[in-house]
Amino acid sequence: MIDPDKVAAHLDRLAKPKGSLGRLEDLAVRLGSIQGTLKPETKPRRLIVFAGDHGVVADGVGIWPQAVTGVMVAMIAAGRASCSALARACDASVRLIDVGSAMGEVPSSPLYCDRRVGRGTLSLAQGPAMTADQFWAAWMAGQTAVAEARADGMRIVVLGEIGIGNTTAAAALIALGCEHDSDALVGAGAGATAETLDRKRTIVREAVARARDVMADDPVAAMAAVAGFEIVAMAGAIAAAGDADLPVVLDGVVSGAAAIVAQAVDPAALETAIASHVSAEPAHRIALESLGLEPYLDWGLRLGEGTGALLMLPMLDAAAALLKDVATLDEVTGGGGG
Amino acid sequence: MIDPDKVAAHLDRLAKPKGSLGRLEDLAVRLGSIQGTLKPETKPRRLIVFAGDHGVVADGVGIWPQAVTGVMVAMIAAGRASCSALARACDASVRLIDVGSAMGEVPSSPLYCDRRVGRGTLSLAQGPAMTADQFWAAWMAGQTAVAEARADGMRIVVLGEIGIGNTTAAAALIALGCEHDSDALVGAGAGATAETLDRKRTIVREAVARARDVMADDPVAAMAAVAGFEIVAMAGAIAAAGDADLPVVLDGVVSGAAAIVAQAVDPAALETAIASHVSAEPAHRIALESLGLEPYLDWGLRLGEGTGALLMLPMLDAAAALLKDVATLDEVTGGGGG
């Protein structure tokens, strides 16, 4: 990392009106300061998708059955999911880390890694979703995925997730972490009827109330009680990227919840995090505000899989090009300038 | 062109929650319907930058002297401007069409084309900025640039401009075209002091009042009175792209003014126009609303040169990938779906 002001000062030396590229300049400052250089590199980069299942799905919080997680895992492993298409378009490789799906037969694909710490969480409606041991195992799986990305020379990582039911866990985590009324944070996720939405609200409200009782004494236990394996793994990945001065691009509400978990475990975890978009889920905006992250896109995205985060990659390419390829005023005026 | 509903129906067949990619889906619908296919192509693409000077600069509407247009033209011709860097990052070629700079020695560069219809406009503060003949010559230069892009196989064109003083002309055109109070539409452009901003407001107010007198009888004369050569060329380019079912990506407030001119000349001109961003200039939002175009980015950009429009190219790549590369529900469920 270097002082963001150093990068901003370089932008101010370019032959263009100061500040005239608005948020693209913010992005350039963020990228340059994280990588510690005025010549940041944005390739190669990798999308890491974490997968996990949620016991709470059996309690009727959405319209999709748990088996859909496995279908989506198979689609990503086969390179045919939405994130696969966008990753190709944005020149990112894909790695799918299964930290807790309930699938039977897993895909045989070089993209897929079976690192399950459980076969789905227990239902957060009935009690703690996972043990502390499982929490740390999932966290480590996230850290390992980032270590592998670094070893493979990645300059940026992009995080995504797949897990039917995980907007329920995300809403609970954000309500818990931001000390916000949970009812207002529960949205439709990938699909809900009025009935399932109502049930989702009740379940989240009660689970958050139970978790709040232990939050002060044992925040990890409190968060583990309402989290998901893929969310905790994503939190570990965010913290690992922060440790390694590696830019990490966040996606929607589930990665917002993961950022809340990461910051609770490690207050410096978000040093290299970049918020790509604010999603259609109401909890996401609350989480980003609480984290002090300002999103770049407001496109009503709510798919997950890292799809929104991938869209930031070409913007980061543009930000890097701005720093590296534009003439300075000195060059244009033949020296002696500002 | 094909019915947008056909493209939307294809998106609804994909193996993902319906509508879950928000505005990226809108962009896919727009791109597919314009190109008349479910398999749109986004490459090759070209940024066309139109250059022109403005007589009103001598009346003190900004902080930059007219000569800066020539400096920027030279930078773009040399591939060292902000738009050059972003065009490379976004995989677009660049063509610089000088329709009216006041430069003496012009750059010798394969990117630069001298097609000047005048050496800067007359000052819109003193009388009509250009003649009707000049208006149509500039319009034709824009149409020719798009015809050349089509002949070279371009699947998308992106429009930009350079011209010191052109936010003054743009504010006047938007006030005229949108029948809006001009004072509220005048912003700082690429740079202004309180004094120059005040003078800019007065000049625009008076020029618009004069132009309004002839608007009903002769809209071309009214617009020519306050326009710029590069703005009219851009309007011709927009209309030519509309005629040719070629997606054309608009940039900031000056291209918004060009779109107003294009629509006044040809009500169907905007059929293939895509608004990339809403700029920091107050007139831009008014223009886009009046035109029924919804921008994708709100990043406070105000540089021009097509820089904001270029950022949409990777988004269009992603939108095309969504249409072409994601599995349908039928494929996933083995048929019988949908």
Side-chain angles (χ1 to χ4, degrees):
Chain A
M1 305 268 300
I2 58 173
D3 186 340
D5 289 346
K6 273 197 185 164
V7 187
H10 177 73
L11 287 172
D12 285 346
R13 283 191 294 271
L14 301 181
K16 64 170 195 55
K18 281 186 193 179
S20 57
L21 283 173
R23 295 215 67 207
L24 186 66
E25 296 195 31
D26 298 345
L27 199 57
V29 166
R30 190 95 180 100
L31 177 64
S33 65
I34 290 170
Q35 290 194 353
T37 174
L38 298 178
K39 298 183 184 300
E41 296 292 335
T42 57
K43 295 179 185 177
R45 61 265 194 125
R46 177 179 292 171
L47 167 66
I48 308 173
V49 182
F50 295 101
D53 269 310
H54 292 259
V56 73
V57 169
D59 295 290
V61 290
I63 58 171
W64 302 100
Q66 190 172 65
V68 171
T69 301
V71 173
M72 294 309 305
V73 163
M75 269 182 75
I76 297 171
R80 296 299 310 281
S82 298
C83 70
S84 321
L86 298 197
R88 274 191 296 274
C90 300
D91 201 10
S93 58
V94 178
R95 202 79 182 269
L96 173 57
I97 313 286
D98 186 351
V99 284
S101 84
M103 299 178 79
E105 196 181 336
V106 300
S108 93
S109 154
L111 306 184
Y112 176 87
C113 308
D114 187 351
R115 292 178 187 163
R116 288 183 281 187
V117 304
R119 302 291 161 109
T121 55
L122 299 175
S123 173
L124 61 87
Q126 318 292 338
M130 69 184 74
T131 66
D133 281 353
Q134 285 178 316
F135 180 98
W136 290 117
W139 175 275
M140 282 308 302
Q143 299 235 316
T144 300
V146 166
E148 289 166 346
R150 290 180 62 208
D152 291 343
M154 298 298 144
R155 302 307 183 106
I156 300 174
V157 290
V158 172
L159 303 184
E161 42 56 47
I162 175 72
I164 295 299
N166 66 12
T167 61
T168 300
L173 282 166
I174 292 168
L176 191 64
C178 301
E179 299 180 16
H180 201 284
D181 171 53
S182 71
D183 279 20
L185 298 188
V186 173
T193 60
E195 194 193 332
T196 59
L197 194 58
D198 210 46
R199 196 149 46 213
K200 189 171 169 180
R201 288 217 168 91
T202 305
I203 286 172
V204 169
R205 191 187 316 124
E206 293 174 359
V208 169
R210 284 192 300 274
R212 276 197 179 125
D213 289 342
V214 291
M215 187 70 180
D217 280 347
D218 190 346
V220 165
M223 290 183 303
V226 297
F229 297 134
E230 80 282 28
I231 301 177
V232 177
M234 201 183 253
I238 294 168
D243 272 348
D245 292 355
L246 180 69
V248 54
V249 187
L250 308 183
D251 189 36
V253 68
V254 178
S255 67
I260 298 273
V261 174
Q263 196 176 52
V265 172
D266 172 2
L270 301 185
E271 278 194 343
T272 67
I274 294 169
S276 58
H277 74 104
V278 57
S279 83
E281 282 288 297
H284 195 200
R285 196 177 297 272
I286 302 295
L288 292 175
E289 279 170 10
S290 159
L291 295 164
L293 295 173
E294 203 180 337
Y296 289 85
L297 301 176
D298 185 358
W299 282 16
L301 308 174
R302 56 182 173 81
L303 188 141
E305 297 178 7
T307 46
L310 285 165
L311 296 177
M312 284 310 285
L313 289 174
M315 304 291 121
L316 286 159
D317 295 338
L322 185 64
L323 283 169
K324 294 193 284 190
D325 297 344
V326 176
T328 62
L329 263 179
D330 274 6
E331 290 177 84
V332 173
T333 60
Chain B
M1 305 268 302
I2 57 172
D3 186 342
D5 289 347
K6 272 197 186 163
V7 187
H10 177 71
L11 287 172
D12 286 347
R13 282 191 294 270
L14 300 181
K16 64 171 196 55
K18 280 186 195 180
S20 57
L21 283 173
R23 294 216 67 208
L24 186 66
E25 297 195 31
D26 298 344
L27 199 56
V29 167
R30 190 94 181 100
L31 177 64
S33 66
I34 290 171
Q35 289 193 354
T37 174
L38 298 178
K39 298 183 183 303
E41 296 292 336
T42 57
K43 294 179 187 177
R45 60 267 193 121
R46 176 178 292 169
L47 167 66
I48 307 173
V49 181
F50 295 101
D53 268 312
H54 292 259
V56 72
V57 168
D59 295 291
V61 291
I63 58 170
W64 303 100
Q66 189 172 65
V68 172
T69 301
V71 172
M72 294 309 306
V73 163
M75 271 182 72
I76 297 170
R80 295 299 310 281
S82 298
C83 69
S84 321
L86 298 197
R88 273 190 297 273
C90 299
D91 200 11
S93 59
V94 178
R95 200 82 183 267
L96 172 57
I97 313 285
D98 185 351
V99 285
S101 84
M103 297 178 80
E105 196 180 339
V106 301
S108 91
S109 155
L111 306 184
Y112 176 86
C113 307
D114 187 350
R115 293 180 186 162
R116 288 183 281 187
V117 304
R119 301 291 161 108
T121 55
L122 299 175
S123 173
L124 62 86
Q126 317 294 338
M130 70 183 74
T131 65
D133 281 353
Q134 285 178 316
F135 180 97
W136 290 117
W139 175 276
M140 282 308 302
Q143 299 234 316
T144 300
V146 166
E148 289 165 347
R150 290 179 63 207
D152 292 343
M154 298 299 144
R155 302 307 184 107
I156 299 174
V157 290
V158 171
L159 302 184
E161 43 56 48
I162 175 71
I164 296 299
N166 68 11
T167 60
T168 299
L173 282 166
I174 293 168
L176 192 63
C178 302
E179 299 180 16
H180 201 284
D181 171 51
S182 72
D183 279 21
L185 298 189
V186 173
T193 61
E195 195 193 332
T196 59
L197 194 57
D198 210 45
R199 198 151 41 214
K200 189 171 170 181
R201 288 218 168 92
T202 305
I203 286 172
V204 170
R205 192 187 316 124
E206 293 174 358
V208 168
R210 284 193 299 275
R212 274 196 181 127
D213 289 341
V214 292
M215 188 69 180
D217 280 347
D218 189 346
V220 165
M223 290 183 303
V226 297
F229 297 134
E230 80 283 26
I231 301 177
V232 177
M234 200 183 253
I238 293 167
D243 271 347
D245 291 356
L246 180 68
V248 54
V249 187
L250 307 183
D251 189 35
V253 68
V254 179
S255 67
I260 298 271
V261 174
Q263 196 176 52
V265 172
D266 172 2
L270 301 185
E271 277 194 343
T272 66
I274 294 169
S276 57
H277 73 104
V278 58
S279 83
E281 282 289 296
H284 196 201
R285 196 177 297 273
I286 303 294
L288 292 175
E289 278 169 10
S290 158
L291 295 164
L293 294 173
E294 203 180 338
Y296 289 85
L297 301 176
D298 185 359
W299 282 15
L301 308 175
R302 55 183 174 83
L303 188 141
E305 298 178 7
T307 46
L310 285 165
L311 297 176
M312 285 310 285
L313 289 174
M315 303 291 127
L316 286 160
D317 295 337
L322 184 64
L323 283 169
K324 293 193 283 190
D325 297 344
V326 177
T328 61
L329 263 179
D330 273 6
E331 290 176 82
V332 173
T333 59

